[in-house]
Amino acid sequence: MLKKFTGNLSQKEKSLKELYKLIFENGSVSKGDLIKLTGMRQTTCTRLIDELLVSGLIKECGYGESSGGRKPLMYEINKNINYVIGIDISRTYTKILLMDLSFSIIAQAKFKMNETTTPDVTIDLIISHINKMMKLYQLTKDDILGIGIGTIGPLNREKGIIINPNNFPSDGWENIKICERLNDVLQLHTILEYGANTALLAEYSQEPFNQFRNVIHVIKGTGTRTGIIMDGRLVLGTDKLSSLGQGHMIVDLYGRKCSCGSNGCINAYSSISAMKNDIIDAIQQGAPSLITNKVSNIEDIDFNDICQAVNDGDPLSTRIVQNAAYYTGVGLANLAQVLFPDLIILSGPTYTNMELFYDVVTSTASKRCEKMYSNQRIIFSRGQLGENATAIGAGRIVLEHFLADSASNGTLNKLYI
Ligand SMILES: [Zn+2]
């Protein structure tokens, strides 16, 4: 029935949708509160609540606090009436989550992205995993509300196209009509969004993060991606920032040459390949390092070797990671002094797998912002949802789509501006 909340709605259907949305947003709510929030007459509200109960969209969930008289009966959404699928397609892996309407994970699948995962292979694998999940849980396409995808830009969200993301390990990631292709086979409504935004949306729905008004979320792995919430709303229209993070922010006027042609960009110091190249150069010039025990050819070191070496206390790797984190922290301070966030969430492999990188970035950014923030301080966090954040948020945008005031093909949410 949730799918009926789209298209041209009668006045009664609009009222049912409004009530359902308020119950979803509030978690659990009494009839009295719903009357206050909507301005509906008591008889109308009672009749509509009964209709939502009979349809199975909502259910009773015990009694709330009394404000004098009898304790009020509370209502919540029925989280098992429909399901959503959230997908995170990144440069290193693709993750697929089947979730109920409270975004609890029912089933999950993950595969690595490598030189063989062309768009055709990736789409086939996604379809195969979704079919397996639906079969395992005996779900039909009517049970699934839709599919949300959080991925790397640039994107054409309205048309559901991945345009030409950099640094995918396989060839062929150009102008991929991913929503159309999944919809053709699975016949499920599919929505595309920047992964940085879906991850932020998922994190921002968690306590206590939902108490903050201004939040920046940076995902740092092979590339850097950034999502922003200002005054409680997810900022759309920042496509370049969603795709590139602030990786080309200049932190040293006469610094290193960057791949973009400029000098002194954050990426020139702190991308994984920049750190790797620094370590290789130093070793080739004779610097001792534990990392030489890991590989027979030093050119073969990868991100995991660097993390391991830092965690083992290798002085060379530690110095290079500290330096990379310092420049990143300076860049983050610059961004903070434009947006003045209350909370900065730092996630992705670079922050998650290297305590040292996270510590140096946060202490550098804090110190540089100290005066501007006066008595306040920025709160830093690695987030609460870890690697699942992007896919959970992607599932969330599907439900948000059905609850938007006028559902169409885009991502529609009161959080969006
Ligand atoms: Zn650059």
Side-chain angles (χ1 to χ4, degrees):
M1 184 177 170
L2 264 178
K3 289 188 183 181
K4 289 184 184 160
F5 282 163
T6 56
N8 287 329
L9 301 181
S10 66
Q11 189 51 51
K12 185 179 128 190
E13 287 167 330
K14 280 183 190 164
S15 302
L16 284 168
K17 179 173 169 177
E18 184 186 4
L19 281 182
Y20 180 87
K21 191 172 170 181
L22 284 170
I23 297 168
F24 165 67
E25 286 171 357
N26 286 279
S28 70
V29 60
S30 68
K31 189 191 298 175
D33 287 337
L34 288 170
I35 290 168
K36 269 187 221 155
L37 288 165
T38 57
M40 284 178 191
R41 288 183 188 178
Q42 185 163 356
T43 49
T44 311
C45 193
T46 303
R47 186 165 42 78
L48 293 173
I49 285 175
D50 285 346
E51 199 160 319
L52 288 171
L53 284 167
V54 169
S55 69
L57 282 176
I58 63 165
K59 59 181 189 177
E60 294 170 354
C61 63
Y63 292 90
E65 290 296 310
S66 162
S67 54
R70 278 192 302 174
K71 286 185 175 179
L73 187 58
M74 304 297 280
Y75 301 96
E76 66 181 13
I77 65 159
N78 179 359
K79 63 184 184 178
N80 298 118
I81 191 91
N82 278 124
Y83 298 84
V84 291
I85 290 168
I87 304 176
D88 171 10
I89 303 176
S90 77
R91 297 177 179 98
T92 48
Y93 62 81
T94 289
K95 187 162 217 178
I96 303 142
L97 301 181
L98 171 67
M99 292 170 279
D100 64 22
L101 295 185
S102 68
F103 309 104
S104 296
I105 298 167
I106 311 287
Q108 57 182 303
K110 181 180 170 183
F111 57 87
K112 275 191 180 170
M113 299 296 275
N114 55 34
E115 58 285 354
T116 70
T117 47
T118 59
D120 286 349
V121 170
T122 304
I123 289 169
D124 285 349
L125 281 169
I126 289 171
I127 291 168
S128 154
H129 282 298
I130 291 174
N131 280 330
K132 270 188 216 158
M133 287 174 183
M134 288 172 68
K135 197 172 171 193
L136 185 62
Y137 289 90
Q138 299 180 339
L139 300 174
T140 67
K141 68 182 173 61
D142 289 335
D143 297 317
I144 311 276
L145 209 50
I147 300 172
I149 303 170
T151 189
I152 293 161
L155 309 174
N156 182 330
R157 284 180 282 211
E158 287 69 32
K159 293 185 175 167
I161 300 173
I162 298 175
I163 297 173
N164 58 347
N166 286 331
N167 298 325
F168 261 65
S170 136
D171 293 332
W173 285 91
E174 278 172 18
N175 295 317
I176 309 304
K177 294 178 179 173
I178 193 156
C179 290
E180 188 181 305
R181 290 183 62 178
L182 291 180
N183 194 13
D184 280 350
V185 178
L186 297 165
Q187 284 156 15
L188 291 169
H189 185 76
T190 306
I191 299 172
L192 187 64
E193 181 54 77
Y194 287 94
N197 288 342
T198 65
L200 177 51
L201 199 57
E203 292 286 3
Y204 193 59
S205 66
Q206 304 287 303
E207 293 276 353
F209 293 169
N210 55 7
Q211 307 299 319
F212 295 100
R213 300 301 296 164
N214 302 320
V215 183
I216 296 175
H217 186 192
V218 181
I219 305 175
K220 194 163 168 60
T222 306
T224 308
R225 298 179 278 157
T226 303
I228 298 170
I229 280 179
M230 293 302 291
D231 201 22
R233 290 163 178 261
L234 184 62
V235 180
L236 286 185
T238 53
D239 289 27
K240 290 275 186 215
L241 190 61
S242 305
S243 295
L244 301 171
Q246 85 277 28
H248 296 280
M249 180 182 278
I250 295 160
V251 285
D252 184 348
L253 279 183
Y254 306 103
R256 287 182 188 178
K257 197 84 181 161
C258 177
S259 60
C260 72
S262 185
N263 285 80
C265 299
I266 297 174
N267 276 358
Y269 300 92
S270 77
S271 67
I272 290 174
S273 61
M275 288 190 267
K276 180 181 154 181
N277 290 339
D278 282 352
I279 291 172
I280 292 171
D281 285 351
I283 289 172
Q284 285 173 343
Q285 284 167 31
S289 169
L290 297 174
I291 215 164
T292 52
N293 302 331
K294 298 270 178 196
V295 283
S296 50
N297 180 356
I298 193 60
E299 302 271 352
D300 293 338
I301 60 166
D302 62 18
F303 177 64
N304 291 331
D305 296 324
I306 299 173
C307 294
Q308 189 62 51
V310 170
N311 293 338
D312 291 346
D314 175 47
L316 174 69
S317 306
T318 300
R319 178 171 60 76
I320 285 167
V321 167
Q322 271 174 332
N323 188 56
Y326 172 75
Y327 282 105
T328 308
V330 171
L332 196 58
N334 290 344
L335 189 64
Q337 288 174 39
V338 177
L339 300 171
F340 286 94
D342 315 300
L343 168 70
I344 298 180
I345 302 171
L346 302 170
S347 69
T350 314
Y351 288 115
T352 309
N353 301 351
M354 285 198 285
E355 193 84 23
L356 177 71
F357 193 91
Y358 180 84
D359 289 347
V360 174
V361 168
T362 52
S363 61
T364 304
S366 287
K367 199 155 184 47
R368 296 217 162 211
C369 290
E370 221 166 36
K371 286 242 158 54
M372 268 60 70
Y373 271 76
S374 56
N375 294 329
Q376 256 185 301
R377 69 184 183 92
I378 310 174
I379 294 169
F380 291 94
S381 169
R382 283 194 174 101
Q384 301 181 68
L385 300 171
E387 194 187 272
N388 288 331
T390 301
I392 291 175
R396 198 176 175 92
I397 60 171
V398 176
L399 180 55
E400 307 272 5
H401 164 79
F402 281 96
L403 298 182
D405 290 339
S406 56
S408 68
N409 199 27
T411 47
L412 301 151
N413 181 311
K414 76 181 179 79
L415 284 170
Y416 287 59
I417 55 172

